[in-house]
Amino acid sequence: TAAVDLSCVWHNLEYMVCTWRPGENASSDTNYTLFYWFDGLKNRKKCNNYSVDQGIFECIFNLSFPKVINTYPAISILITDDSEEIRPLCANKNPTTLVKPATPRRVTLSKINDEVYIEWSESNTFPGNCLFYEVEYHNGDLDTAQIIKVTFNYLQCFSKKNQPTTVGNNFTSIPSVDPNMKYVFKVRAKPKPECYSSKLSSDWSEEKSIGEKTDSTFYFVLIITVPLIVAVSMIILLVYLKRLKILILPPVPDPREILKRMFGEQNEDSQVSRK
């Protein structure tokens, strides 16, 4: 009857989401309740933000600590029911193994000469230099994406036009890009091992693109239409030249045809006069 498959994720060092399934022998109307406690709380706290979806229980509660602390206390979790027929579930969680950063926001792209600059906002809930980032990008003609790892914070300002100017944001650059290709970028954050033991990554940011992909359809249509236009133009030109030749050099009449017509007309006149 005890809850099973307990899983918890600490989102952006702000709130924790725990999910579980009901026990095999638990009744369908079982109302599980989650309590949590850690060193520093006087009393255990009850999680009140419940939801159930397709038999999966979920509860969300706020959980944050000051940034200045170097270690986090273990979280004790109790899942039980008001009925004595339900066996309680007790678990201890190391919060550093449950950290999942928030998705990077405000991703912007800019192009300077043959370099693309990618800039995004950093989370303000993590201590400095406790996150690294992965930037995935690909061009319009390739299915295989490339991933670069950004392990340090950029705090530089640029005075040149169109370059990143927001201090405190993270950015990196991709050099030697093809100016005639369209590139698609997305970013995600990961905790640094020296700060947290978590292997969880943030969700990928929304894809952003820059550049224009060369349209192969345009060239295909161009290859077909240009020879067709040339062929039609040649036919029109030949017809025009033939008519022009007739006007400039009219055909010389055949003397035999002239004599035929002359004698033919005389024969007709003689026959008329006899009648």
Side-chain angles (χ1 to χ4, degrees):
T1 59
V4 294
D5 297 337
L6 174 64
S7 176
C8 296
V9 178
W10 192 14
H11 289 266
N12 206 39
L13 306 184
E14 294 178 306
Y15 61 93
M16 185 168 287
V17 179
C18 292
T19 59
W20 66 91
R21 293 190 301 107
E24 181 180 355
N25 296 326
S27 62
S28 58
D29 59 348
T30 300
N31 292 320
Y32 291 98
T33 304
L34 185 147
F35 297 92
Y36 65 95
W37 179 88
F38 55 86
D39 191 15
L41 286 180
K42 293 181 179 180
N43 300 304
R44 67 181 186 180
K45 288 191 175 183
K46 179 181 178 181
C47 179
N48 295 312
N49 188 6
Y50 280 96
S51 64
V52 183
D53 183 21
Q54 297 181 357
I56 304 297
F57 287 79
E58 179 182 88
C59 199
I60 304 173
F61 57 92
N62 293 328
L63 180 66
S64 60
F65 300 97
K67 289 184 181 181
V68 294
I69 65 175
N70 295 323
T71 58
Y72 297 99
I75 308 295
S76 298
I77 294 176
L78 169 66
I79 299 178
T80 185
D81 183 82
D82 295 335
S83 172
E84 295 181 355
E85 297 179 356
I86 300 299
R87 183 177 179 179
L89 171 68
C90 300
N92 289 322
K93 300 287 185 180
N94 178 0
T96 65
T97 64
L98 311 175
V99 175
K100 181 177 181 178
T103 304
R105 298 175 295 111
R106 294 193 295 272
V107 178
T108 58
L109 304 176
S110 58
K111 191 174 182 181
I112 307 161
N113 299 326
D114 61 344
E115 284 190 276
V116 173
Y117 285 83
I118 310 99
E119 185 176 3
W120 61 92
S121 60
E122 58 183 355
S123 175
N124 57 6
T125 61
F126 282 82
N129 295 324
C130 273
L131 293 177
F132 71 91
Y133 298 87
E134 289 182 339
V135 177
E136 180 181 295
Y137 70 97
H138 63 88
N139 60 39
D141 290 340
L142 294 178
D143 295 331
T144 56
Q146 300 185 55
I147 295 180
I148 59 173
K149 184 177 178 180
V150 183
T151 58
F152 51 91
N153 291 329
Y154 293 91
L155 300 176
Q156 301 176 358
C157 270
F158 289 91
S159 59
K160 294 182 179 180
K161 188 178 180 181
N162 296 328
Q163 288 188 336
T165 57
T166 306
V167 180
N169 278 10
N170 292 290
F171 69 86
T172 188
S173 63
I174 309 297
S176 304
V177 297
D178 188 344
N180 298 319
M181 292 299 299
K182 176 182 178 180
Y183 289 86
V184 180
F185 294 85
K186 58 183 178 180
V187 186
R188 70 178 177 183
K190 284 187 172 185
K192 284 187 176 180
E194 53 266 32
C195 296
Y196 307 100
S197 303
S198 175
K199 304 296 183 181
L200 301 175
S201 305
S202 74
D203 296 331
W204 286 106
S205 67
E206 182 182 357
E207 288 187 344
K208 298 285 186 177
S209 61
I210 192 171
E212 294 295 334
K213 181 180 178 181
T214 304
D215 191 359
S216 58
T217 306
F218 172 75
Y219 289 103
F220 179 73
V221 173
L222 196 64
I223 291 172
I224 293 177
T225 55
V226 168
L228 185 62
I229 292 173
V230 172
V232 173
S233 301
M234 290 295 292
I235 293 172
I236 295 173
L237 183 62
L238 289 174
V239 173
Y240 176 77
L241 289 177
K242 187 175 181 180
R243 295 185 60 185
L244 186 63
K245 180 182 178 181
I246 294 173
L247 293 174
I248 297 175
L249 299 173
V252 178
D254 189 353
R256 290 177 297 178
E257 294 294 330
I258 297 175
L259 292 174
K260 272 185 180 183
R261 286 198 298 268
M262 288 177 61
F263 286 110
E265 290 175 357
Q266 289 178 3
N267 291 334
E268 290 177 0
D269 292 341
S270 61
Q271 289 176 2
V272 171
S273 61
R274 288 177 183 176
K275 290 181 180 181

